[in-house]
Amino acid sequence: MTLLTLKTIEDRLFTAGAKTIHVEHFFRTWVSMKMFNDQSLNYPKLVKEEINQLLDEMNNSAQIIQEEKDGEDSSKLIVRLQDGEIIESVLLPRGGLCVSCQVGCAVGCVFCMTGKSGLVRQLTDFEIVSQLRLARQIRPISKVVFMGMGEPSHNRRNVLSAIDFMAKFSGIGYKNLVLSTVGDRRLFNELEQRTIKPALAISLHTTSDEKRKELLPNAERIPVIEIMDFASRYAKNTHYPIQYQWTLIRGLNDDDQELDRLEKLWLGQFAIMNMIPVNSVEGSSYVRPDSDRLSVIEDKLRQIGVLLKYRESAAQNVNGGCGQLRARYQAQKDEANG
């Protein structure tokens, strides 16, 4: 089965006789959820015919098959792809959307359900962008974060292509397109060379190189200090604060030694620290710190000038942290099939 890509769609339109203005109008209309009107431009007949064929294929390439709400502002979308694979997207408060970039993930974060399934396949750039269009069928979207299933640096060509597409055609600026990564030198090098850069989030989780090996077993072995040095340069070049992500696990990365090391590493950072008490994952012994410890961490970090935000992994009320709804859906499907 051949999966659609943005390049494939573009090539088919050009082959049918479209000019650049036609292709750009089509993409902008499609991702903005506007009705396609071939009278708004003087489309050649063959281009109109190709567009009708493409729209059928594009609409069948990714479909929402389930939505589970988490309060009024958030919900998790289960999306079935053309080949039957399942991914997740999350509608976030204030017009946000969290998208996936892979089916499964190879990093194997020990606190994440997605990592337990391993990497199944990469998403195409079109499949990534399709999640934005699907979400816009439900409500307006003004910010996209690449923090769903998968590690963006392991699919960087398609992720960066999707980011460029969104910035050009969707009305969402680069500052509101947030690329998240565990750290990857190839991605860092490519980001530094790009003229226009997305906002950046770093999945840090600890100041200890040894603990990172335990928590993120298949991530590239980059020293924490190197990751944070790159992040500091990137923030200064883009004028966007880095968003550090830290999943808090009791007895593992919530101790005073972590906070002392973080104080030294934080010097010169233009950044926000998002700390997320670990989400319960079936079969895992990891638990979140108690409320008293969270208060101590908050007081300490604010004393040393860290802008701290505590937040929950999206869709907790529906047992839907990253990968959990997909896993539950697959288990129910397997059970139904005997």
Side-chain angles (χ1 to χ4, degrees):
M1 178 181 293
T2 302
L3 302 174
L4 278 179
T5 68
L6 295 174
K7 183 67 165 56
T8 299
I9 296 168
E10 183 180 74
D11 287 346
R12 284 174 58 175
L13 290 172
F14 281 135
T15 299
K19 299 183 182 301
T20 299
I21 190 174
H22 299 134
V23 175
E24 292 185 350
H25 176 265
F26 172 71
F27 279 147
R28 189 170 288 109
T29 300
W30 175 78
V31 78
S32 299
M33 285 299 299
K34 296 177 182 177
M35 293 295 294
F36 178 72
N37 179 3
D38 59 17
Q39 301 302 317
S40 60
L41 286 174
N42 187 19
Y43 282 90
K45 179 182 178 182
L46 290 179
V47 174
K48 296 178 186 178
E49 294 174 355
E50 186 63 37
I51 283 175
N52 289 331
Q53 176 65 33
L54 275 170
L55 285 173
D56 286 340
E57 296 177 34
M58 293 163 74
N59 291 337
N60 289 328
S61 291
Q63 298 177 323
I64 297 173
I65 58 173
Q66 187 175 327
E67 177 182 0
E68 297 201 25
K69 293 187 177 296
D70 180 30
E72 294 183 1
D73 296 329
S74 301
S75 61
K76 182 71 73 75
L77 308 177
I78 302 296
V79 177
R80 181 171 57 216
L81 304 174
Q82 182 181 358
D83 60 355
E85 294 294 348
I86 301 297
I87 58 171
E88 301 172 357
S89 305
V90 183
L91 296 173
L92 302 171
R94 297 179 294 280
L97 172 69
C98 178
V99 299
S100 295
C101 65
Q102 296 176 309
V103 181
C105 183
V107 175
C109 300
V110 296
F111 47 79
C112 177
M113 181 63 78
T114 299
K116 293 183 179 299
S117 67
L119 177 64
V120 178
R121 72 167 175 86
Q122 309 284 13
L123 296 191
T124 70
D125 52 2
F126 173 75
E127 289 174 323
I128 298 170
V129 171
S130 289
Q131 295 170 72
L132 171 57
R133 188 177 188 275
L134 290 173
R136 282 180 162 173
Q137 293 177 2
I138 299 172
R139 70 184 190 197
I141 299 295
S142 57
K143 181 176 183 177
V144 178
V145 297
F146 290 72
M147 299 180 184
M149 293 171 53
E151 164 53 35
S153 68
H154 293 174
N155 190 18
R156 68 186 190 283
R157 296 297 183 197
N158 287 332
V159 167
L160 291 173
S161 174
I163 286 173
D164 288 341
F165 179 97
M166 291 179 189
K168 184 173 184 178
F169 297 116
S170 75
I172 302 174
Y174 280 91
K175 187 175 182 179
N176 288 314
L177 297 169
V178 184
L179 173 58
S180 176
T181 178
V182 296
D184 183 282
R185 290 189 179 97
R186 295 169 302 172
L187 176 64
F188 289 167
N189 291 336
E190 189 158 350
L191 287 174
E192 283 192 311
Q193 294 167 13
R194 289 169 63 87
T195 302
I196 301 176
K197 309 175 193 294
L200 184 64
I202 301 286
S203 295
L204 193 64
H205 305 299
T206 178
T207 57
S208 164
D209 294 335
E210 289 304 312
K211 285 184 185 178
R212 270 180 66 87
K213 292 179 184 179
E214 177 184 346
L215 293 171
L216 289 66
N218 299 322
E220 184 176 356
R221 297 290 176 248
I222 309 177
V224 170
I225 191 169
E226 180 181 336
I227 293 173
M228 295 188 72
D229 283 347
F230 168 80
S232 180
R233 294 195 308 272
Y234 191 82
K236 289 174 183 176
N237 289 335
T238 61
H239 307 292
Y240 311 151
I242 299 298
Q243 298 182 37
Y244 286 106
Q245 316 294 334
W246 188 298
T247 299
L248 277 170
I249 302 171
R250 185 192 301 174
L252 185 59
N253 63 356
D254 67 337
D255 55 50
D256 290 341
Q257 289 80 9
E258 287 279 14
L259 303 182
D260 291 340
R261 288 193 297 264
L262 185 60
E263 179 178 5
K264 297 174 183 178
L265 291 167
W266 201 260
L267 292 175
Q269 290 286 327
F270 175 38
I272 299 166
M273 175 61 76
N274 293 310
M275 285 192 162
I276 308 145
V278 69
N279 179 44
S280 299
V281 173
E282 185 177 351
S284 172
S285 61
Y286 296 128
V287 295
R288 56 181 55 197
D290 60 33
S291 58
D292 288 342
R293 184 59 192 165
L294 294 179
S295 295
V296 170
I297 293 171
E298 181 176 12
D299 290 342
K300 171 67 174 178
L301 292 186
R302 290 192 171 153
Q303 287 173 14
I304 63 177
V306 175
L307 179 55
L308 171 66
K309 294 183 179 180
Y310 278 130
R311 65 179 181 85
E312 295 287 340
S313 180
Q316 291 302 297
N317 290 346
V318 293
N319 193 26
C322 188
Q324 287 185 292
L325 282 180
R326 174 179 178 267
R328 194 166 76 232
Y329 177 86
Q330 294 282 33
Q332 292 170 348
K333 182 179 177 182
D334 293 343
E335 183 178 348
N337 292 336

